[in-house]
Amino acid sequence: MDLGLADRTVLVTGGSSGVGLATVSALLGEGARVAACGRDADRLAKAAAGLGAARDRLLTGVCDVRDADAVHAFASRVGAHFGGLDGLVNNAGQSRMKGLDETTEADWRDELELKFAGVLNPLHATRELLRASDAAAVVNVNAVLAKQPEPRLITTSAARAGILNLSKSLATELAPDGIRVNSVCLGLVDTGQWARRYAASGSALGYEEWQRELAEDRGIALGRLGRAEEVAYAIVGLLSPRASYITGTSVDVCGGIGRGIA
Ligand code: NDP
């Protein structure tokens, strides 16, 4: 099926690694034009080189989603370079693995700032561009933690729940402008985040065996971590103009880790 994304333009935050990079790659594969940002210039440059896309298809920019001015500047570059914008993927971020007693006040502030600024700054910066599109869509990359909190990820779980709630409000607020807003809620996906945790764990197990034990420990029905491309597929589907009647919802991409009825 033609997803109707050819020559559409999408901005992906955190597009230099993991889910974001897989989404950039999938969008380019659909013939879309893509803008991607991240904080580390080298990582972005390597990711872009690996994709091998022409400059008229891929634009990268160094910016931290917490910095509203930097995000606005990048969005302006995107508008000038591509002449418009049809999609926004709010993906940049990471989780904070701490329980209540290890979590400082600064941790709470930092986590809430990252999660909320990570959605609101790019949205404010691109809203006028999106409003001008005839098929605008926003996808917020979230986590099953939003609905199923884990005490060992206490700040991330709480922030994720807030973002899921915010996504619903945004879907209602932006519908009159023709902008759809949806979320994907991830379980455990094998990306840079888990590779870093494996390295920090000092485990004697190989990475694959460590992942298998992790999947069993977390009760993942499919018995394995997800792959970034598997998430990208859901994101691209929600961005597609073919999904024109889907807004205000969330799709779990979690291998069956969710215990509730989604
Ligand atoms: P990765 O660490 O592989 O990639 C994260 C990307 O975000 C990188 O491109 C990183 O680049 C960028 N990034 C991080 N912080 C910022 C920032 N402040 N401003 C701009 N860019 C930033 O992570 P994943 O692909 O695993 O994660 C993608 C999203 O999915 C995140 O929001 C994460 O919390 C969420 N998620 C992931 C899960 C998983 O199991 N992998 C589970 C649930 C949710 P740089 O560091 O150079 O800025």
Side-chain angles (χ1 to χ4, degrees), residues 60-71:
T60 58
V62 176
C63 89
D64 187 322
V65 289
R66 292 168 296 188
D67 179 344
D69 291 342
V71 176

Side-chain angles (χ1 to χ4, degrees), residues 3 20 30 54 88 92 98 109 115 199 214 238 243 247 249 253 262:
L3 293 178
E30 292 297 319
L88 169 66
K98 286 187 176 182
R109 266 195 306 275
K115 295 297 183 292
L214 182 63
L238 289 169
T247 197
T249 194
V253 186

Side-chain angles (χ1 to χ4, degrees), residues 13-20 37-40 43 63-66 91-95 114-115 141-143 160 186-194 196:
T13 68
S16 59
S17 171
V19 169
C37 71
R39 294 164 302 176
D40 182 323
R43 196 169 5 169
C63 89
D64 187 322
V65 289
R66 292 168 296 188
N91 162 76
Q94 58 192 37
S95 56
L114 173 63
K115 295 297 183 292
V141 177
N142 205 321
R160 289 295 189 196
L186 314 193
L188 276 60
V189 180
D190 179 15
T191 62
Q193 291 205 39
W194 286 103
R196 287 193 293 276

Side-chain angles (χ1 to χ4, degrees), residues 71-200:
V71 176
H72 272 82
F74 183 55
S76 297
R77 266 184 70 207
V78 173
H81 188 81
F82 290 126
L85 187 71
D86 305 289
L88 169 66
V89 182
N90 288 317
N91 162 76
Q94 58 192 37
S95 56
R96 191 175 298 259
M97 213 169 250
K98 286 187 176 182
L100 180 64
D101 292 340
E102 307 141 81
T103 305
T104 63
E105 258 183 58
D107 286 328
W108 279 106
R109 266 195 306 275
D110 290 350
E111 184 68 2
L112 292 170
E113 186 197 1
L114 173 63
K115 295 297 183 292
F116 282 87
V119 170
L120 292 170
N121 284 340
L123 180 71
H124 288 314
T126 59
R127 188 165 171 189
E128 288 312 311
L129 289 169
L130 290 171
R131 204 204 300 259
S133 166
D134 63 357
V138 176
V139 176
N140 293 326
V141 177
N142 205 321
V144 172
L145 292 175
K147 303 181 260 188
Q148 188 168 289
E150 293 227 14
R152 65 190 133 183
L153 284 148
I154 195 161
T155 53
T156 301
S157 297
R160 289 295 189 196
I163 291 302
L164 196 59
N165 186 293
L166 173 68
S167 296
K168 188 77 175 171
S169 297
L170 292 175
T172 308
E173 290 263 336
L174 300 178
D177 291 340
I179 303 172
R180 298 183 294 108
V181 183
N182 293 292
S183 306
V184 289
C185 287
L186 314 193
L188 276 60
V189 180
D190 179 15
T191 62
Q193 291 205 39
W194 286 103
R196 287 193 293 276
R197 279 179 199 151
Y198 167 68

Side-chain angles (χ1 to χ4, degrees), residues 11-68:
L11 192 166
V12 181
T13 68
S16 59
S17 171
V19 169
L21 178 56
T23 303
V24 172
S25 175
L27 286 165
L28 289 171
E30 292 297 319
R33 293 182 284 245
V34 187
C37 71
R39 294 164 302 176
D40 182 323
D42 285 347
R43 196 169 5 169
L44 260 181
K46 276 193 198 119
L51 291 163
R55 203 180 165 273
D56 64 340
R57 291 272 142 204
L58 178 63
L59 176 74
T60 58
V62 176
C63 89
D64 187 322
V65 289
R66 292 168 296 188
D67 179 344

